[in-house]
Amino acid sequence: MPRIPFIGRLFLREYVALIGSFILIVLESLISIITIALPYPIIKFCYNSSRSLFNVLSSPQSRKGSKHKLSYAIANAPDFVDLCALFGYYAEEHIVQTGDGYLLGLHRLGWRKGEEALRVNSGPDGLRKKVVYLHHGLLMDSEVWVCLTEKQRCLPFQLVEMGYDVWLGNNRGNKYSKKSTKHSPTSTAFWDFSMDQFAFHDIPDSIDYVLSTTKQPSLSYIGFSQGTAQAFATLSIHPQLNDKIDVFIALAPAMAPHGLSNGIVDSLIKASPELMFLGFGRRSILGSATMWQSILYPPIFVRIIDIALSFLFAWSGSNISIHQKHAAYPHLYSFTSTKSVVHWFQIIRNASFQMYDDDVQTPLSLGGGGKYYKVAKFPTKNIKTPIVLVYGGSDSLVDIKVMLKELPKHTVAKEIPHFEHLDFLWADDVETLVFPHVFQALRTYADTASEQRYKKVEAYEDTPLDDRRKQIEAPHAPIPLPWKYPEDARQMGKVAGSSSEGTEADTEMETASLRGKKYSQVASATPGFPGGNDDESSTISNITLRKRTRIPDSTPPTSCPPLPQQTESSSTPAAHAGDENDAFAHAADAPPSPRESSTTKRHADAGTKAKAAAAAPIDPRLRRKSKSRNNSLVSKRSSDSISTTIDNAGIRVPSGRVAGGVISRGVGELE
């Protein structure tokens, strides 16, 4: 069928479906407004009427199933703590504040029956347990993990019985996290969040809070549906978080679904986000779901949910019993933002696990496209944490081939052939088909890492205090020099393979020969050398060889001849010591070079001028300032006198301390 020109990317039948869906949205909104205005007696009348209608139209088996006492108790439990109390478990409630001011509710199950008086992961005397963190999916909260009719099918309860400290998180905006320090839930700004905020704030802040409270270095992460997508995104953009999670177990993982078969939903996915915001608003999406739950008899409400899931996702729900549906479906929905649902529609439409696109191109835009604009993707291949995927073969929201291409190579995938999406929470045989994979992953990755870490801690604690101090106070090993004797330097130059490098090696060899003795000995044997017998030179102090500023000197330094070339016969340290003495013994008799003569003359002229300036009277007002300036000049220029003398002698001086005119470090000390 041809597309409508000048409109966009949708077919004619898709526009019909889109218009029909918006009619339903408007109708649902009108009913919600009317219900809010109705008094309680009228709502009670609607509830009783729906119950009577169910009793007339349903079979005796269905009526018997709706009267299951435990299912009724679970369906009417007001919160997470009461749900756990039905099975005899004690639960804690915690609040964590995110970096952008949202207050998230966390729940903790850390005690077996009878352990309520014990301190778990609290203080040195507390009972130490490995931490497991669970996170829910889209339009859900932490209650979906514990609203089961049998304890053995409840994953958090089984983990508690195995000795784990279990924590359950919640996304911003849902039943337990509908508060912020900056915005009111009635404002549009409060609901301006998508999966980006879940990944940048909610998950990492919750994990940091759990680890800080339990004093544990790491934990294990178990996610369901969108809870897995949030972990994929979080681990990809927070490299340091990979060290805090021993293993990531993804149940019914969601990353980039390949699309939905229903025409209405598919048209909504392809439509502009502005249409979604126009139909559902910019606050919470499907907020009227609680209204329908209050006016409909539970079996009818359950039947409507089954029809909706089949219509949207082609799920039959055959693996979940009717008792479990009556107990769990009232806890299925929780609030979230319209923007977070639009984010998923963008991911499906672009077939890319990307961040939220704030600059969506309209169908009629002419200058956009991927050529000039690209939405940032979550770099999931950078994840270092071990990943275990457990997915259903009949789950329409999982495209395992695409997912494995976007994940690192160490990812492990396990398939449950006939499982659908919600079966990983509430299926009748979830404890036999899914839980073994979870427990095996925890034993393989989390428990092994914890045991090794605990052994290291215990070994350190058992180490005597004196041995610990020795380990801490042990000096660092000296840095070895590349060569010890001059022939080693020559050999290094030959290995380099170039004549210039060989020449440099010879120079290093000669310099090492001169530096075999302390520089103080060399200086004392050489008149005019800094620190030698010359009184005027020996008075120089606090010299820094790295500065090269010239200063006139009253006594020009005596130049030194070039060093003799090294021969093969003088390759021992004793031979080099003899060459040093000969070189400095004839230093005074050697004729100066033209450059040295000019330097000596320039220094003599400058010294004469300096003496004349010193003899002239000085204004008392400028005496203090001049004295300070001259001291700084002498300090700077004295170093040049040393540098000039050393350069003229051809000596390469290593960086070191100079005190009282004597260089206090030589090659002998370095070795």
Side-chain angles (χ1 to χ4, degrees):
M1 182 180 296
R3 300 176 184 269
I4 299 178
F6 309 111
I7 298 297
R9 300 168 292 185
L10 304 182
F11 291 99
L12 179 61
R13 58 179 175 81
E14 294 172 338
Y15 279 101
V16 174
L18 185 62
I19 294 173
S21 64
F22 275 103
I23 292 175
L24 294 176
I25 292 173
V26 173
L27 181 62
E28 187 264 350
S29 301
L30 292 176
I31 295 175
S32 177
I33 294 173
I34 294 173
T35 305
I36 294 174
L38 290 177
Y40 178 76
I42 297 179
I43 296 177
K44 187 67 174 179
F45 172 77
C46 295
Y47 179 85
N48 293 331
S49 300
S50 64
R51 182 177 61 182
S52 300
L53 181 63
F54 171 78
N55 292 331
V56 171
L57 300 178
S58 61
S59 63
Q61 184 178 1
S62 299
R63 290 195 296 270
K64 183 179 179 180
S66 64
K67 296 179 181 179
H68 192 270
K69 293 183 179 180
L70 183 57
S71 298
Y72 180 81
I74 295 173
N76 290 277
D79 57 20
F80 182 90
V81 175
D82 290 332
L83 283 169
C84 296
L86 291 174
F87 294 91
Y89 289 96
Y90 170 72
E92 285 185 349
E93 294 182 288
H94 294 254
I95 301 296
V96 56
Q97 181 174 340
T98 64
D100 54 351
Y102 284 81
L103 303 180
L104 309 181
L106 298 179
H107 294 109
R108 183 185 190 185
L109 288 168
W111 299 265
R112 299 187 183 100
K113 296 178 182 179
E115 291 183 346
E116 292 81 4
L118 299 179
R119 296 167 60 91
V120 176
N121 288 331
S122 178
D125 299 332
L127 183 62
R128 186 167 57 186
K129 293 185 178 183
K130 186 70 179 72
V131 180
V132 177
Y133 178 88
L134 289 82
H135 206 86
H136 59 79
L138 178 66
L139 292 166
M140 296 179 179
D141 56 48
S142 57
E143 294 178 6
V144 298
W145 294 101
V146 294
C147 58
L148 288 97
T149 57
E150 297 172 350
K151 184 182 72 172
Q152 63 270 21
R153 294 190 299 111
C154 179
L155 181 59
F157 294 161
Q158 292 302 306
L159 291 173
V160 170
E161 292 298 329
M162 294 176 63
Y164 290 96
D165 187 3
V166 181
W167 291 71
L168 302 96
N170 288 282
N171 285 338
R172 62 182 63 193
N174 74 4
K175 177 179 178 178
Y176 297 100
S177 307
K178 204 173 181 179
K179 189 172 180 60
S180 171
T181 60
K182 299 180 180 179
H183 309 290
S184 170
T186 58
S187 65
T188 305
F190 178 89
W191 299 99
D192 186 21
F193 59 81
S194 65
M195 201 187 322
D196 294 356
Q197 283 68 42
F198 299 154
F200 280 100
H201 297 287
D202 291 10
I203 298 296
D205 292 345
S206 298
I207 291 177
D208 288 341
Y209 176 86
V210 172
L211 295 179
S212 175
T213 303
T214 59
K215 304 296 189 297
Q216 295 294 312
S218 62
L219 54 78
S220 302
Y221 186 105
I222 301 176
F224 168 76
S225 189
Q226 182 180 277
T228 67
Q230 294 176 208
F232 288 135
T234 302
L235 292 172
S236 67
I237 60 178
H238 295 283
Q240 71 279 5
L241 199 63
N242 288 260
D243 298 329
K244 300 178 182 180
I245 299 179
D246 296 325
V247 60
F248 166 34
I249 304 172
L251 304 179
M255 178 179 286
H258 51 71
L260 304 176
S261 58
N262 184 270
I264 294 179
V265 179
D266 193 56
S267 63
L268 289 174
I269 292 174
K270 296 178 181 178
S272 171
E274 295 300 327
L275 297 178
M276 287 290 298
F277 290 127
L278 180 63
F280 295 98
R282 291 186 176 272
R283 294 182 175 88
S284 63
I285 190 171
L286 299 178
S288 61
T290 55
M291 177 269 299
W292 290 108
Q293 183 177 346
S294 64
I295 67 174
L296 293 176
Y297 190 52
I300 295 180
F301 178 76
V302 168
R303 183 57 180 164
I304 292 176
I305 295 297
D306 278 339
I307 294 174
L309 294 177
S310 176
F311 178 74
L312 297 175
F313 309 108
W315 298 338
S316 64
S318 59
N319 297 321
I320 305 175
S321 67
I322 188 65
H323 299 310
Q324 182 60 63
K325 291 179 181 179
H326 289 162
Y329 280 4
H331 303 278
L332 176 61
Y333 172 80
S334 192
F335 297 99
T336 192
S337 66
T338 303
K339 186 176 181 180
S340 62
V341 178
V342 171
H343 191 179
W344 272 112
F345 285 0
Q346 293 179 356
I347 291 174
I348 296 174
R349 179 177 58 195
N350 298 318
S352 173
F353 190 53
Q354 63 183 34
M355 299 182 184
Y356 185 82
D357 187 3
D358 295 287
D359 188 21
V360 180
Q361 298 293 328
T362 62
L364 298 179
S365 61
L366 300 178
K371 183 177 181 180
Y372 303 103
Y373 176 71
K374 181 176 177 61
V375 183
K377 294 179 60 177
F378 290 107
T380 51
K381 289 187 177 181
N382 298 341
I383 300 176
K384 301 299 187 295
T385 299
I387 303 174
V388 178
L389 308 179
V390 186
Y391 66 98
S394 301
D395 191 350
S396 60
L397 294 181
V398 176
D399 190 344
I400 193 63
K401 294 182 179 179
V402 175
M403 191 176 299
L404 291 176
K405 290 181 180 179
E406 298 297 327
L407 292 175
K409 294 182 179 180
H410 61 257
T411 303
V412 178
K414 307 285 186 179
E415 180 183 2
I416 312 299
H418 61 285
F419 259 41
E420 297 173 347
H421 205 68
L422 295 177
D423 295 343
F424 288 89
L425 292 175
W426 304 321
D428 295 338
D429 49 359
V430 65
E431 78 278 11
T432 59
L433 298 178
V434 177
F435 289 3
H437 296 295
V438 176
F439 300 152
Q440 181 183 2
L442 292 176
R443 288 192 299 267
T444 303
Y445 299 100
D447 294 349
T448 304
S450 298
E451 289 177 2
Q452 295 176 353
R453 190 179 297 112
Y454 292 150
K455 287 181 180 179
K456 291 181 180 179
V457 173
E458 291 175 355
Y460 180 77
E461 292 175 350
D462 295 338
T463 304
L465 184 60
D466 294 339
D467 294 343
R468 295 188 204 175
R469 290 175 177 172
K470 291 179 181 179
Q471 294 176 3
I472 297 174
E473 299 174 357
H476 296 287
I479 301 176
L481 294 176
W483 45 266
K484 189 172 183 180
Y485 295 106
E487 59 269 19
D488 298 330
R490 182 186 296 274
Q491 188 65 25
M492 289 176 62
K494 293 179 179 179
V495 172
S498 64
S499 58
S500 60
E501 292 176 347
T503 304
E504 293 179 358
D506 292 340
T507 306
E508 288 286 332
M509 175 192 63
E510 296 163 359
T511 306
S513 172
L514 283 175
R515 291 183 301 197
K517 291 186 175 182
K518 294 279 187 178
Y519 273 97
S520 57
Q521 298 176 3
V522 177
S524 62
T526 307
F529 194 85
N533 294 329
D534 187 23
D535 295 335
E536 205 162 336
S537 298
S538 62
T539 58
I540 302 174
S541 62
N542 299 327
I543 300 173
T544 302
L545 294 178
R546 295 177 183 178
K547 297 181 180 180
R548 304 183 60 84
T549 309
R550 300 188 179 277
I551 182 175
D553 198 348
S554 58
T555 305
T558 305
S559 60
C560 297
L563 297 177
Q565 294 295 328
Q566 194 63 248
T567 61
E568 296 296 332
S569 60
S570 60
S571 59
T572 62
H576 288 292
D579 293 341
E580 295 169 12
N581 298 332
D582 295 342
F584 283 97
H586 299 84
D589 300 334
S593 62
R595 177 182 175 183
E596 294 166 351
S597 301
S598 60
T599 302
T600 302
K601 182 179 180 181
R602 184 170 63 254
H603 285 181
D605 296 341
T608 303
K609 294 180 180 180
K611 291 180 179 179
I618 300 176
D619 190 348
R621 293 174 298 176
L622 301 178
R623 183 179 301 278
R624 183 175 182 181
K625 182 176 180 181
S626 175
K627 181 178 181 180
S628 175
R629 182 179 179 185
N630 289 339
N631 288 341
S632 63
L633 289 176
V634 170
S635 176
K636 292 181 180 179
R637 296 176 181 177
S638 297
S639 63
D640 183 71
S641 176
I642 304 300
S643 301
T644 304
T645 306
I646 294 175
D647 288 343
N648 292 336
I651 301 175
R652 299 174 60 181
V653 180
S655 60
R657 299 190 311 273
V658 180
V662 180
I663 302 175
S664 62
R665 189 177 72 179
V667 175
E669 290 184 349
L670 290 177
E671 296 178 349

